[in-house]
Amino acid sequence: MADNLSDTLKKLKITAVDKTEDSLEGCLDCLLQALAQNNTETSEKIQASGILQLFASLLTPQSSCKAKVANIIAEVAKNEFMRIPCVDAGLISPLVQLLNSKDQEVLLQTGRALGNICYDSHSLQAQLINMGVIPTLVKLLGIHCQNAALTEMCLVAFGNLAELESSKEQFASTNIAEELVKLFKKQIEHDKREMIFEVLAPLAENDAIKLQLVEAGLVECLLEIVQQKVDSDKEDDITELKTGSDLMVLLLLGDESMQKLFEGGKGSVFQRVLSWIPSNNHQLQLAGALAIANFARNDANCIHMVDNGIVEKLMDLLDRHVEDGNVTVQHAALSALRNLAIPVINKAKMLSAGVTEAVLKFLKSEMPPVQFKLLGTLRMLIDAQEAAEQLGKNVKLVERLVEWCEAKDHAGVMGESNRLLSALIRHSKSKDVIKTIVQSGGIKHLVTMATSEHVIMQNEALVALALIAALELGTAEKDLESAKLVQILHRLLADERSAPEIKYNSMVLICALMGSECLHKEVQDLAFLDVVSKLRSHENKSVAQQASLTEQRLTVES
């Protein structure tokens, strides 16, 4: 075979130059046979022979053997070591030109060749995108949708190209959404549907394409799949139910597509999603709760949903997952409740519906994603003084918060715990809440929070600490001293990068600390007067005024 192959390659070199059609066809057939028998070895010989460089001239629209040449390129490019030589031989450009052919065999082999050459190479795929293959392939999909092999080739190409961010804009300017939905409706086989799903998922990350998919009727197809597969225990059906409902949730992440499906809370899609929440299927419960969390991304939607009983449905769902529940469902239901609690008008309604009690059942959870959403939901709800006081006196909650303030492996949980501790003080303004937090060891965490890299968290901590100093300084002074609060305030005031509100609240806090003998002594020892007097000329008026007041106070008390 080796001798035959060498002869074929020599002959091919000659015939490729003088274009003797019959001999050329024969040589190409021999090559394809050799590749079928031993692809790797044959590919190595082809590379060594230098024949690749001649292929570009055989890929012209006029060439009668272009399909066979494209087929050979597709076969050799299955080998990773052949891909760069194909690029170096200048084969990409003539192959891209052939995508305008009307011959289905040429299109199929050309698509395979390009796909294999560019497989796993983002830079080559980006090159194809720049050469405009996306609109061409979308057009081909529409024209040749009856040809299963060509359809599959287009889908594989879309799946690879859609992963690249640069492709999304080009896809959005075609009618890809319409073509894929049309194709999807016709598919009965699971494998073919899966292929389409693999293209839809990356495309649906783009907001413009989300809306196009919604307008093309994808949602109705997905709802039908859910209805058909929900009671099946076949593995393929379970996969399809998950993929379909996940994609549905993804479509709701776009503001326009979400509003289109919400339709003022009257939309049939919104109503259908609501019916998933009481379902017995975990995947549907999860998708339903995530969909509600996505619908709850603007105040009007949130207010409408709370007024129409969605909170009770979500609390029932949470109740079903308290003991050894499904973590993803817990997380999704808490996310939905947190988003619903953002509009001020909803907070009191949700509190009286018993949301805090429902959420507190998950305090014992050891799962950081659940802890994070639980904390966020409570923080959203406690704007009201009464609610903050009630929760702030809950020793179990406060002790758990203090524990989570040390969750160094989970920055989100740690940050939310600190913010909730601070919020309990700021909204309750209650001595009892402060005492509970002092007794549970929470003071040191609030002092650390004042050094956070996030100004909003620093500020929340300083306001909470100022309230502690104003209402319960005697109870907290030992903890404030051991947490080195005074040194931290000195650092914040001396640091030119500190935001104006941080400087302002640090000085308010310094004044409040003067009522404690040990803290007062620390203030004197650290020469605060120098730092404060410099701030009298600060460009921010509030900071400058507070600096004058603080300077007077420090002078009088010194």
Side-chain angles (χ1 to χ4, degrees), residues 246-263:
D246 283 350
L247 187 52
M248 176 82 196
V249 172
L250 186 57
L251 291 175
L252 293 172
L253 279 170
D255 288 339
E256 279 188 86
S257 51
M258 179 269 285
Q259 280 305 88
K260 194 172 178 65
L261 295 171
F262 190 66
E263 291 181 62

Side-chain angles (χ1 to χ4, degrees), residues 314-386:
L314 289 166
M315 284 178 6
D316 288 346
L317 177 59
L318 275 176
D319 239 17
R320 293 161 69 182
H321 288 278
V322 174
E323 298 303 326
D324 307 321
N326 183 304
V327 172
T328 53
V329 176
Q330 293 171 359
H331 179 260
L334 289 166
S335 296
L337 286 170
R338 181 201 170 279
N339 288 1
L340 289 166
I342 292 171
V344 175
I345 195 170
N346 281 355
K347 297 183 197 292
K349 292 175 188 170
M350 290 175 72
L351 286 166
S352 59
V355 171
T356 50
E357 293 81 351
V359 169
L360 286 171
K361 289 176 187 171
F362 294 90
L363 260 188
K364 56 182 181 286
S365 171
E366 292 304 326
M367 306 306 286
V370 174
Q371 296 166 353
F372 180 69
K373 287 298 175 186
L374 172 154
L375 291 163
T377 308
L378 291 176
R379 191 166 62 79
M380 283 302 149
L381 282 170
I382 59 158
D383 274 14
Q385 190 168 357
E386 196 182 326

Side-chain angles (χ1 to χ4, degrees), residues 123-134 166 170:
S123 61
L124 290 177
Q125 288 166 358
Q127 195 179 323
L128 288 185
I129 293 166
N130 291 336
M131 292 169 87
V133 299
I134 288 173
S166 59
Q170 271 201 34

Side-chain angles (χ1 to χ4, degrees), residues 360 363 389-399 436 440:
L360 286 171
L363 260 188
E389 188 160 1
Q390 195 185 340
L391 282 176
K393 289 192 286 193
N394 179 329
V395 177
K396 270 190 183 161
L397 168 65
V398 174
E399 284 176 350
T436 308
S440 305

Side-chain angles (χ1 to χ4, degrees), residues 18 59 78 95 120 138 200 204 252 258 266 312 365 388 419 430 466 533:
D18 61 20
L59 288 171
K78 284 178 178 175
L95 284 168
D120 224 14
V138 174
L200 287 168
L252 293 172
M258 179 269 285
K266 307 276 191 295
E312 288 71 15
S365 171
R419 293 190 76 184
S430 151
S533 60

Side-chain angles (χ1 to χ4, degrees), residues 61-109:
Q62 298 76 32
S63 167
S64 60
C65 56
K66 51 189 176 285
K68 280 182 183 163
V69 175
N71 191 354
I72 290 168
I73 296 168
E75 288 302 315
V76 301
K78 284 178 178 175
N79 302 290
E80 195 179 341
F81 68 87
M82 288 299 289
R83 289 173 194 153
I84 296 302
C86 285
V87 176
D88 293 343
L91 300 181
I92 287 186
S93 192
L95 284 168
V96 169
Q97 294 305 312
L98 285 184
L99 289 176
N100 296 306
S101 171
K102 292 191 170 44
D103 183 319
Q104 296 190 18
E105 181 61 18
V106 171
L107 289 170
L108 178 63
Q109 300 306 342

